[in-house]
Amino acid sequence: MAGDQNSSSQPWVYSQLENNQFELHGKALLFMVLGALAFLVFVILFMLFFVCRNSRATAMGEDAARDLIYKQLPVVFYGDLKKEMSAVECCICLGVFEEQDRVKVLPQCGHCFHSHCVDKWLSTRASCPLCRAALRVDSLV
């Protein structure tokens, strides 16, 4: 016990703790690998956040263009176009056009629809419901 007292009373020296053959074993290696994986996951999630944010901004721009498309289409009475149009029914609701019906004619393809029917369609898509011709904002100006 006297030897234990002598060894505990002596101050430790840093050179005694130095290990020139540093090796990773067990838990230390596991924690380093888990830390690296956590950092990698954080970087990937951070990058995905910015990619999704940019795609949302692009999608919002497309929504604004789509709103602009169906709001810019002129509304006319079917009676005024009856002689020029071969269509007698709206292919969206399958209702027959009447003289007093408000209709919209799509500029790309010339197809005619009830105003409220085609507005619902164009609020979610920028194409003709019949032939799928793409509608562009610049084609309306």
Side-chain angles (χ1 to χ4, degrees):
M1 282 209 166
D4 288 339
Q5 288 178 351
N6 287 343
S7 64
S8 65
S9 64
Q10 294 180 1
W12 63 273
V13 180
Y14 182 73
S15 62
Q16 291 175 348
L17 300 175
E18 189 175 10
N19 184 358
N20 292 335
Q21 296 149 347
F22 180 74
E23 294 179 16
L24 294 174
H25 294 288
K27 290 181 182 178
L29 181 62
L30 176 68
F31 286 124
M32 288 182 70
V33 169
L34 289 176
L37 286 174
F39 178 75
L40 189 62
V41 167
F42 173 76
V43 169
I44 289 171
L45 290 176
F46 188 73
M47 290 174 62
L48 285 175
F49 170 76
F50 283 106
V51 169
C52 291
R53 190 172 119 201
N54 289 338
S55 67
R56 274 186 272 158
T58 303
M60 287 170 52
E62 291 171 2
D63 289 344
R66 195 178 310 123
D67 287 346
L68 187 62
I69 286 173
Y70 82 87
K71 288 178 181 173
Q72 281 188 347
L73 287 173
V75 179
V76 294
F77 288 104
Y78 178 71
D80 297 341
L81 296 175
K82 189 174 185 178
K83 295 175 185 163
E84 301 169 18
M85 301 300 299
S86 61
V88 293
E89 68 180 16
C90 175
C91 74
I92 298 174
C93 69
L94 301 176
V96 176
F97 291 127
E98 301 291 332
E99 294 279 328
Q100 72 279 6
D101 283 347
R102 293 177 174 210
V103 296
K104 288 187 178 182
V105 179
L106 303 184
Q108 295 289 338
C109 56
H111 290 127
C112 180
F113 308 97
H114 287 121
S115 177
H116 60 277
C117 295
V118 79
D119 285 349
K120 287 179 187 175
W121 176 271
L122 292 176
S123 68
T124 59
R125 298 167 197 83
S127 63
C128 173
L130 190 58
C131 68
R132 305 291 185 180
L135 300 177
R136 298 186 313 266
V137 175
D138 60 347
S139 69
L140 300 175
V141 179

